[in-house]
Every structure is written in structure tokens, then in C-alpha cells.
Amino acid sequence: NVQMKLNLDDLVQQHLFAHGQYEPEATAMWKYLLAIRKLGGDMGANVGYYSLLTAKYGAAETKIFSFEPMTHIYNRAKENIELNSFSKIHLIKLAVSNQKKMEVIALEEESNWGGSNIVAKTPQSNVHSEQIETTTLDLFVKEQNLNTVDLIKMDVEGYEPFALEGMEKTLTNYNPIVFIEILDHLLVRFNFTPEDIFAFFRKHGYEGYMILPNRKLKHLDKAISFDGLILFAKQNEARIQSQIIV
């Protein structure tokens, strides 16, 4: 029920074309939570999949702020938003970090747009890269005078610890549910591990859950690396209690 312009040279967009969705378990849980959450952030929006879902299935008053810093991916997301005439999505050409600064983002494989990543060192000359601007979610929330943040999806290719550091006030003030990718081979580029991500969330009173089929959740007792999205929510978060299996 959502239209998208796709580049079939890209792995994620190939999957969307073939199956009509991506990350089916996370997609189902995201849509379920949209019924009870009103404002979200999509960090690492890529071509706009989760943002488009939010605009399609969220309540009338739902808004989403989508961050995508790389120019050609931002332009594709913009095309997809305009294709559906969605006014709920506010697309922002910034990356989310722990401070306002300039960074370099690189796309090492044209077949994997979602693999574009902020680099820890200068990329090789044959790699497509560009300089981008960053902000923090805490600063953005303050500048936009937002009084709630309900849902966050974060997939920023190993840069997650910096983005999380810049949203501590948002977590404390609004207790959003967070969907986040945690991959050890990406985190290690910045000398982080999955345990660092889990420890950050534990410090803020959050628990991690694996997202299962049929909108079910399984509590994670230890840190894991997972090629997909993991859900973090405040301890005893009422809105997910019925979805947790023992």
C-alpha cells in the first residue's frame, strides 16, 4: 500500500521489490507500536522504508523525523515521500551524533546503499564519499520544541554509540522504544562492542528484546550481535508486556 521508486542494483531495494517488505518481524512490531505511539525518529532512513510505514499506518497526528545524510540516498527517500504525498515525514539531511560537527561518510559498495557509513579513517580514493553535517537528537528535539518522542529506529552502521550518547536526555525525558541494529564487525571500527550498547541501555533502565514472528518479544539476558533490529524498552514498559514470551 506504499509506492517506492527502487534501484534494483541495491540489495535492500531488491528485497523490497521481490517481497514487498524488509525485516518482516521488525516491520510487524513497528506497525503494531504505531497504533499506540505518535512521534518517531528514523536515523539512517536509507530510502525511507520505515518512515513510509509510519506515515501509512500511524495515527493522523503521527509525525516522523527521518535523518539521512548521504545525498543520493536522501534524494531517493525524498522521491519516495513525494511519490506518496506524505506530509507526516520530515526528511532531514543530517546524521545523528554526539555533537554538531562535520564527518565523512562513505559508500564502499554501490550494491549496498544501506552500508554507507561514517568512517573512522580517510576512505580510499576510489570509494564514493562526501562530507556531511551532524547534530544530536537532544539538540534537535530542543530546537523543534518537541514534547514527546515515542519510537526510534537506528541503523547507522557502527556509529550507534555516538548517536546514543547524543540522545541521553531524550531517553530520560520521553522513554521512547528503540529499534537498533547492533553488529560487532561494524562497531569494532570505532573500538566498541555490542556489550557497550547493552550497557548504555541498562544504565538508562532499558531492557533488550529479540523481535520474533507474530509480534512476539524474547528478553535478551546478554549482549548479542545481530543482523537485524533489536528492540529496547524501559523496564516494565506497559505497551509491550503482552508481547513478551517467557
Short mmCIF file of all heavy atoms in Angstrom, two decimals, residues 105-136:
data_model
loop_
_atom_site.label_atom_id
_atom_site.label_comp_id
_atom_site.label_asym_id
_atom_site.label_seq_id
_atom_site.Cartn_x
_atom_site.Cartn_y
_atom_site.Cartn_z
N ILE A 105 31.25 10.50 5.23
CA ILE A 105 30.50 9.27 5.06
C ILE A 105 30.91 8.64 3.73
O ILE A 105 31.18 9.35 2.75
CB ILE A 105 28.97 9.53 5.12
CG1 ILE A 105 28.20 8.22 5.25
CG2 ILE A 105 28.50 10.34 3.92
CD1 ILE A 105 26.75 8.40 5.60
N ALA A 106 31.01 7.32 3.72
CA ALA A 106 31.48 6.61 2.52
C ALA A 106 30.51 5.50 2.15
O ALA A 106 29.90 4.88 3.02
CB ALA A 106 32.87 6.03 2.77
N LEU A 107 30.38 5.28 0.86
CA LEU A 107 29.61 4.16 0.33
C LEU A 107 30.59 3.27 -0.40
O LEU A 107 31.02 3.56 -1.52
CB LEU A 107 28.50 4.65 -0.61
CG LEU A 107 27.65 3.56 -1.25
CD1 LEU A 107 26.91 2.75 -0.18
CD2 LEU A 107 26.65 4.16 -2.22
N GLU A 108 30.96 2.16 0.25
CA GLU A 108 32.01 1.29 -0.29
C GLU A 108 31.49 0.36 -1.36
O GLU A 108 32.26 -0.10 -2.21
CB GLU A 108 32.66 0.51 0.86
CG GLU A 108 33.37 1.43 1.86
CD GLU A 108 33.96 0.67 3.03
OE1 GLU A 108 33.84 -0.55 3.05
OE2 GLU A 108 34.53 1.33 3.91
N GLU A 109 30.18 0.04 -1.34
CA GLU A 109 29.59 -0.87 -2.31
C GLU A 109 28.32 -0.26 -2.88
O GLU A 109 27.38 0.00 -2.14
CB GLU A 109 29.27 -2.22 -1.67
CG GLU A 109 30.47 -2.96 -1.13
CD GLU A 109 30.06 -4.29 -0.51
OE1 GLU A 109 29.32 -5.05 -1.16
OE2 GLU A 109 30.48 -4.54 0.63
N GLU A 110 28.28 -0.03 -4.18
CA GLU A 110 27.08 0.53 -4.81
C GLU A 110 25.90 -0.43 -4.72
O GLU A 110 24.75 -0.02 -4.86
CB GLU A 110 27.37 0.87 -6.28
CG GLU A 110 28.27 2.07 -6.48
CD GLU A 110 27.64 3.37 -6.00
OE1 GLU A 110 26.40 3.46 -5.96
OE2 GLU A 110 28.39 4.30 -5.64
N SER A 111 26.18 -1.69 -4.43
CA SER A 111 25.10 -2.68 -4.30
C SER A 111 24.52 -2.72 -2.89
O SER A 111 23.64 -3.53 -2.61
CB SER A 111 25.62 -4.08 -4.66
OG SER A 111 26.63 -4.49 -3.77
N ASN A 112 25.00 -1.86 -2.01
CA ASN A 112 24.51 -1.84 -0.63
C ASN A 112 24.44 -0.41 -0.12
O ASN A 112 25.30 0.04 0.62
CB ASN A 112 25.41 -2.70 0.27
CG ASN A 112 24.88 -2.80 1.69
OD1 ASN A 112 23.73 -2.44 1.97
ND2 ASN A 112 25.73 -3.26 2.60
N TRP A 113 23.38 0.30 -0.52
CA TRP A 113 23.22 1.70 -0.09
C TRP A 113 23.15 1.79 1.43
O TRP A 113 23.65 2.74 2.04
CB TRP A 113 21.96 2.30 -0.71
CG TRP A 113 22.05 2.56 -2.18
CD1 TRP A 113 22.97 2.08 -3.05
CD2 TRP A 113 21.17 3.39 -2.95
NE1 TRP A 113 22.72 2.53 -4.32
CE2 TRP A 113 21.62 3.33 -4.28
CE3 TRP A 113 20.04 4.14 -2.65
CZ2 TRP A 113 20.99 4.03 -5.30
CZ3 TRP A 113 19.40 4.83 -3.66
CH2 TRP A 113 19.87 4.78 -4.98
N GLY A 114 22.50 0.81 2.05
CA GLY A 114 22.37 0.81 3.50
C GLY A 114 23.70 0.64 4.21
O GLY A 114 23.80 0.87 5.41
N GLY A 115 24.74 0.26 3.49
CA GLY A 115 26.06 0.11 4.07
C GLY A 115 26.88 1.39 4.10
O GLY A 115 28.03 1.37 4.53
N SER A 116 26.30 2.50 3.65
CA SER A 116 27.03 3.77 3.74
C SER A 116 27.31 4.05 5.21
O SER A 116 26.45 3.90 6.07
CB SER A 116 26.21 4.91 3.11
OG SER A 116 24.96 5.06 3.76
N ASN A 117 28.53 4.46 5.51
CA ASN A 117 28.91 4.59 6.91
C ASN A 117 29.85 5.75 7.14
O ASN A 117 30.66 6.09 6.28
CB ASN A 117 29.54 3.29 7.42
CG ASN A 117 30.79 2.91 6.65
OD1 ASN A 117 31.89 3.34 6.97
ND2 ASN A 117 30.62 2.09 5.61
N ILE A 118 29.69 6.38 8.30
CA ILE A 118 30.64 7.40 8.73
C ILE A 118 31.96 6.70 9.03
O ILE A 118 31.99 5.69 9.74
CB ILE A 118 30.11 8.16 9.95
CG1 ILE A 118 28.88 8.98 9.54
CG2 ILE A 118 31.19 9.06 10.54
CD1 ILE A 118 28.19 9.69 10.68
N VAL A 119 33.03 7.22 8.48
CA VAL A 119 34.29 6.49 8.50
C VAL A 119 35.17 6.93 9.67
O VAL A 119 35.16 8.08 10.09
CB VAL A 119 35.06 6.67 7.17
CG1 VAL A 119 34.25 6.08 6.02
CG2 VAL A 119 35.38 8.13 6.90
N ALA A 120 35.92 5.96 10.19
CA ALA A 120 36.86 6.24 11.27
C ALA A 120 38.19 6.75 10.74
O ALA A 120 38.97 7.36 11.47
CB ALA A 120 37.08 4.98 12.10
N LYS A 121 38.46 6.50 9.44
CA LYS A 121 39.69 6.99 8.82
C LYS A 121 39.38 7.37 7.37
O LYS A 121 38.35 6.98 6.82
CB LYS A 121 40.78 5.93 8.88
CG LYS A 121 40.42 4.60 8.22
CD LYS A 121 41.54 3.58 8.39
CE LYS A 121 41.17 2.25 7.72
NZ LYS A 121 42.25 1.25 7.89
N THR A 122 40.25 8.11 6.74
CA THR A 122 40.03 8.60 5.38
C THR A 122 39.84 7.43 4.42
O THR A 122 40.68 6.52 4.38
CB THR A 122 41.23 9.45 4.91
OG1 THR A 122 41.42 10.52 5.83
CG2 THR A 122 40.96 10.01 3.52
N PRO A 123 38.74 7.43 3.66
CA PRO A 123 38.50 6.31 2.74
C PRO A 123 39.45 6.35 1.55
O PRO A 123 40.05 7.38 1.24
CB PRO A 123 37.05 6.54 2.29
CG PRO A 123 36.84 8.01 2.43
CD PRO A 123 37.66 8.43 3.63
N GLN A 124 39.59 5.23 0.87
CA GLN A 124 40.41 5.16 -0.32
C GLN A 124 39.82 6.06 -1.41
O GLN A 124 38.62 6.32 -1.45
CB GLN A 124 40.51 3.72 -0.81
CG GLN A 124 41.19 2.79 0.18
CD GLN A 124 41.23 1.35 -0.32
OE1 GLN A 124 40.69 1.02 -1.36
NE2 GLN A 124 41.88 0.48 0.44
N SER A 125 40.67 6.50 -2.32
CA SER A 125 40.25 7.47 -3.33
C SER A 125 39.19 6.93 -4.29
O SER A 125 38.44 7.70 -4.88
CB SER A 125 41.46 7.95 -4.12
OG SER A 125 42.11 6.85 -4.76
N ASN A 126 39.13 5.61 -4.43
CA ASN A 126 38.16 5.02 -5.36
C ASN A 126 36.80 4.75 -4.71
O ASN A 126 35.90 4.22 -5.34
CB ASN A 126 38.71 3.73 -5.95
CG ASN A 126 38.94 2.65 -4.89
OD1 ASN A 126 39.11 2.95 -3.71
ND2 ASN A 126 38.93 1.40 -5.32
N VAL A 127 36.65 5.13 -3.45
CA VAL A 127 35.39 4.94 -2.72
C VAL A 127 34.59 6.23 -2.74
O VAL A 127 35.13 7.31 -2.46
CB VAL A 127 35.66 4.51 -1.26
CG1 VAL A 127 34.37 4.49 -0.45
CG2 VAL A 127 36.34 3.14 -1.22
N HIS A 128 33.30 6.13 -3.08
CA HIS A 128 32.44 7.32 -3.10
C HIS A 128 32.25 7.82 -1.67
O HIS A 128 31.80 7.09 -0.80
CB HIS A 128 31.09 6.99 -3.71
CG HIS A 128 30.11 8.12 -3.62
ND1 HIS A 128 30.29 9.30 -4.28
CD2 HIS A 128 28.95 8.26 -2.92
CE1 HIS A 128 29.29 10.12 -4.02
NE2 HIS A 128 28.46 9.51 -3.18
N SER A 129 32.60 9.07 -1.41
CA SER A 129 32.45 9.64 -0.07
C SER A 129 32.07 11.10 -0.18
O SER A 129 32.23 11.74 -1.22
CB SER A 129 33.76 9.49 0.72
OG SER A 129 34.81 10.24 0.12
N GLU A 130 31.54 11.64 0.91
CA GLU A 130 31.19 13.06 0.95
C GLU A 130 31.23 13.54 2.38
O GLU A 130 31.11 12.75 3.33
CB GLU A 130 29.83 13.32 0.33
CG GLU A 130 28.67 12.62 1.01
CD GLU A 130 27.35 12.86 0.28
OE1 GLU A 130 27.06 12.12 -0.69
OE2 GLU A 130 26.62 13.78 0.68
N GLN A 131 31.42 14.83 2.54
CA GLN A 131 31.41 15.43 3.87
C GLN A 131 29.98 15.74 4.27
O GLN A 131 29.18 16.22 3.46
CB GLN A 131 32.25 16.71 3.90
CG GLN A 131 32.57 17.21 5.30
CD GLN A 131 33.58 18.35 5.29
OE1 GLN A 131 33.38 19.34 4.61
NE2 GLN A 131 34.66 18.20 6.05
N ILE A 132 29.63 15.42 5.51
CA ILE A 132 28.27 15.62 5.98
C ILE A 132 28.27 16.37 7.30
O ILE A 132 29.28 16.45 8.00
CB ILE A 132 27.53 14.27 6.16
CG1 ILE A 132 28.27 13.41 7.20
CG2 ILE A 132 27.39 13.55 4.83
CD1 ILE A 132 27.47 12.24 7.70
N GLU A 133 27.12 16.89 7.66
CA GLU A 133 26.94 17.59 8.92
C GLU A 133 26.18 16.70 9.89
O GLU A 133 25.28 15.96 9.50
CB GLU A 133 26.17 18.89 8.68
CG GLU A 133 26.03 19.77 9.91
CD GLU A 133 25.30 21.07 9.61
OE1 GLU A 133 25.04 21.34 8.42
OE2 GLU A 133 24.98 21.78 10.58
N THR A 134 26.53 16.77 11.17
CA THR A 134 25.83 16.00 12.19
C THR A 134 25.17 16.94 13.20
O THR A 134 25.53 18.10 13.33
CB THR A 134 26.77 15.04 12.95
OG1 THR A 134 27.58 15.79 13.85
CG2 THR A 134 27.65 14.25 11.99
N THR A 135 24.22 16.37 13.93
CA THR A 135 23.62 17.04 15.07
C THR A 135 23.39 15.99 16.15
O THR A 135 23.72 14.81 15.96
CB THR A 135 22.30 17.74 14.70
OG1 THR A 135 21.85 18.54 15.81
CG2 THR A 135 21.22 16.73 14.33
N THR A 136 22.84 16.37 17.28
CA THR A 136 22.44 15.40 18.29
C THR A 136 20.92 15.35 18.35
O THR A 136 20.25 16.34 18.05
CB THR A 136 22.98 15.75 19.69
OG1 THR A 136 22.23 16.84 20.23
CG2 THR A 136 24.46 16.12 19.62
#
